Amino acid sequence: MSTIKKMTKNTLFLPIFCMILVMAANILYDAASGNFAFNFFTISIRNGVLYGRLIDVLNRGSEIAILAVGMTLVVSASAGTDISVGSVMSLSASMCCMLLAGFGVASASELQVPLIVGFAAGVLMGCVCGAFNGFLVAYLEIQPMVATLILYSAARAIGLLLCNNLIVYIRAGSFAKLGGFTGPVPTPIIVAAVCVVVMILVLKKTALGLYIQSVGINKKASRIAGLNSQRIIMLCYIICGLCAGLAGIVNASRITSADSNNIGLNYELDAILSVALGGNSLGGGKFNLLGSIIGAYTIQAITTTLLALGVSTSEAPVYKAIIVIVIVVIQSPVFKDYLNKRSAKRAARARG
Amino acid sequence: MKKKKSMNGNTILLLLTILLFVVMYAAGCVIYGEKGFSHLQTFLNILINNSGLLCVACGMTCVMLTGGIDISVGSLIALDCMILAYGMENMGMNPVLLCVLVLALGLLFGFVQGFCVGYLNIQPFIVTMAGMFFARGMTAVISTDQLSVRSSQFFVNLANMKFNIPFNIGAYMNRRGKLQIPYVRLPVLIALAVIVIIFIVLRYTKFGRSLYAVGGNEQSAAMMGLNVKATKLKAYMLSSFLCSIGGICFCMNTMSASVGQATGLEMDAIASSVIGGTLLTGGVGNVIGSFFGVLITGTISTLVKTNGKLLSSWSSIAVAALLCFFIVLQSIFAMVKARRK
């Protein structure tokens, strides 16, 4: 009994438990439909690249994982979520492709500016959006979700303006590298891994992680203890914007175009969901980055499974919304109190 | 003395809103006068096009008075329209029955959200965001096609009803020399009725006053003996219910349904309420302000459309910029107030 309790108390219990649940569902489904039961886990090499559903999950989940990194910090520091990430992704992708193709050009096979300039501009755009959100939240003390609501609707529209209402295609081969393959491994996986490792190193090797948690737990106390709370919150939003920009460019490179209306659509839900699924409280404070990353890949596994089951992409949000609500209800203090009271009552009854 | 001062801050916001609307509309009349912007009908068309939004903004104001927010409204409207259209077209159901069904769905939807917010103490944004994706997904579950409402003669007649403005006020001769009498449609009358009712409810009933009390200070409201949880629950139910009424109005206007319908409407509704002087922190605001907020957002999109050369995304950028401006203004007002204390 005590070992089970110890396990469930672990912060990584929820994400890993969900991951196992999804995998079990996949095994059951494969077995039931008469396929090889471990279809989900088989990895093979076809046409010189890795192939398999697990690779697919890792590959497609890269954007969500990158977003989850930024979102975790924002949730931790400001007790609110950044709902503009999906739109910022779209804006960054538009910015990048607009620079690369030239304004008003729908399809370009030659790059107008060096590739790195386009990528840098896209990421920078994300940072600017993050700084805007951060300024509103940290210095003007506006509720995070309302502040980010502005860019949630405006960023996509600005992206459309940048692209002159067109879907800009970049047909140069070098552009597609970021969303393609490096050797046999899909590049997005590498990008996500680098992003996560860098972030974990920054958080562990510097005091930033500690500061963020301290600001999230009590902003005023941290201020009195000598931390510049406002600057730290602002920094979290800038990092979140940077992650969104990076994710947007990866996504654009994957489809070799800037489709403003569809890039990053509903990604904010996935990002928030992965933070919640990672065992982090949406009320701010302590966070576990690794949990969020596992959460992100779990979400992608759920999406892939749903698609494999024949659910269309536009129907998938129904199930994700239900999962969000269930997790949030389980996390809510009222529900926890209720459970505690019940177990206390049962203990009292057992004692007689 | 002190009370008068704090009241002034809020009245200034409302006056600023009305002034902004008048200036914007006057500018439109001057610039696009020859395109027919100055006719009364243009103004009435803004009302007709935004009748759904008016209902939604009223509900949003009620929720925001308690200090919460409801971003599920746009998706709920899409779901309502889809139920109406699918029921009438593919199942041949009675439109009246469908409307009742949609309103009941709104109440149920609001109940679940309100329960999560009020009784389980979950952040309103998370709950209603889940609701937003749920409703949008359910719309796709029902049908991913673009449906148009044609078969129910009753509903078509209802939607096409014209109510002329009495005494030919604002009537004009068009280019062919035919007298054009300005008119409104049924959804406008519904929306105006909703505004009047909500205005009275907020001002003169116990429920309305308790909304302000809960938003002003939850703790003192609880100490006064108000049931804070139940008030929040009712606010979300009211919002979703009004949203369903708005959905019916919306369906009458567009006579169609699709998964992508009314995307970003939550943004317009929130912007309208905020522009109309409703504080995001709760406790301050009224529907008159929201009414002018809707008129402003409507005028912006009409201006963009009348220009004809601007991309349609300009209107959402303009609304977002306005929202940003007013939010910042509110926050500065609050900071000044806090410093004075």
Side-chain angles (χ1 to χ4, degrees), chain B residues 157-172:
Chain B
N157 286 343
L158 216 56
N160 285 341
M161 250 196 262
K162 269 187 190 179
F163 297 88
N164 288 337
I165 300 290
F167 313 120
N168 291 357
I169 298 170
Y172 64 96

Side-chain angles (χ1 to χ4, degrees), chain A residues 17-287:
Chain A
F17 177 72
C18 290
M19 189 69 139
I20 292 171
L21 214 64
V22 175
M23 285 175 178
N26 265 299
I27 293 173
L28 273 180
Y29 173 70
D30 280 334
S33 56
N35 295 331
F36 176 53
F38 292 97
N39 238 351
F40 187 78
F41 300 96
T42 45
I43 296 173
S44 56
I45 291 189
R46 289 191 198 173
N47 299 333
V49 296
L50 288 171
Y51 181 88
R53 255 202 271 169
L54 206 56
I55 293 294
D56 211 37
V57 168
L58 283 176
N59 186 3
R60 300 273 157 187
S62 310
E63 284 100 323
I64 305 174
I66 296 171
L67 287 180
V69 171
M71 190 65 88
T72 311
L73 301 186
V74 162
V75 169
S76 165
S78 67
T81 50
D82 181 350
I83 60 165
S84 71
V85 284
S87 303
V88 172
M89 270 174 79
S90 157
L91 174 57
S92 299
S94 303
M95 181 78 191
C96 171
C97 290
M98 189 272 279
L99 276 181
L100 290 178
F103 180 75
V105 181
S107 172
S109 45
E110 276 176 31
L111 302 178
Q112 299 291 321
V113 291
L115 197 62
I116 192 79
V117 175
F119 284 167
V123 172
L124 198 68
M125 196 75 209
C127 287
V128 170
C129 291
F132 176 76
N133 286 333
F135 179 74
L136 290 183
V137 173
Y139 291 95
L140 296 177
E141 290 172 8
I142 297 164
Q143 292 148 296
M145 299 179 214
V146 178
T148 51
L149 189 70
I150 297 171
L151 276 183
Y152 170 75
S153 78
R156 209 174 278 281
I158 297 172
L160 273 173
L161 283 188
L162 285 181
C163 286
N164 206 12
N165 254 7
L166 299 166
I167 297 177
V168 179
Y169 287 95
I170 309 270
R171 304 206 187 276
S174 54
F175 180 70
K177 277 269 163 54
L178 201 61
F181 293 88
T182 313
V185 186
T187 323
I189 297 181
I190 300 170
V191 176
V194 168
C195 188
V196 169
V197 168
V198 166
M199 210 41 170
I200 286 179
L201 280 182
V202 168
L203 291 178
K204 292 274 178 212
K205 293 288 167 191
T206 69
L208 185 65
L210 195 67
Y211 287 172
I212 291 174
Q213 294 196 5
S214 129
V215 169
I217 291 166
N218 193 334
K219 205 167 114 185
K220 245 181 206 162
S222 322
R223 177 93 196 88
I224 292 166
L227 294 179
N228 191 340
S229 303
Q230 292 175 324
R231 198 182 292 164
I232 288 170
I233 292 177
M234 177 107 173
L235 186 66
C236 286
Y237 275 88
I238 293 178
I239 294 174
C240 187
L242 189 147
C243 291
L246 193 62
I249 292 170
V250 169
N251 202 328
S253 165
R254 204 192 277 285
I255 56 175
T256 66
S257 64
D259 184 356
S260 303
N261 281 323
N262 290 317
I263 285 182
L265 200 63
N266 297 349
Y267 269 65
E268 50 278 345
L269 180 72
D270 285 348
I272 294 166
L273 190 54
S274 44
V275 173
L277 206 60
N280 300 303
S281 155
L282 289 176
K286 281 193 168 178
F287 68 91

Side-chain angles (χ1 to χ4, degrees), chain A residues 79 139-140 142-143 145-146 149-150 152-154 157 161 165 266 269 272 282 314 317-318 321 325 328 332 334, chain B residues 119-120 122-123 125-126 129-130 132-134 137-138 140-141 267 270 280 311 313-314 316-317 320 324 327 331 335:
Chain A
Y139 291 95
L140 296 177
I142 297 164
Q143 292 148 296
M145 299 179 214
V146 178
L149 189 70
I150 297 171
Y152 170 75
S153 78
L161 283 188
N165 254 7
N266 297 349
L269 180 72
I272 294 166
L282 289 176
S314 42
V318 175
I325 284 296
V328 175
S332 77
V334 178
Chain B
Y119 286 85
L120 297 180
I122 305 172
Q123 291 176 5
F125 225 107
I126 301 287
M129 193 182 69
M132 164 167 133
F133 285 103
F134 181 80
M138 278 312 281
V141 169
M267 176 71 192
I270 293 168
L280 288 164
L311 293 177
S313 39
W314 271 113
S316 63
I317 291 177
C324 179
I327 287 177
S331 134
M335 274 181 182

Side-chain angles (χ1 to χ4, degrees), chain B residues 17 56-62 64 267-280 284-286 289-291 293-294 297 323 330:
Chain B
T17 308
V56 174
C58 283
M60 186 67 81
T61 307
C62 294
M64 278 167 67
M267 176 71 192
D268 285 342
I270 293 168
S272 305
S273 296
V274 171
I275 291 170
T278 309
L279 286 195
L280 288 164
V284 177
N286 63 45
S290 310
F291 175 67
V294 171
T297 52
L323 175 66
Q330 278 189 8

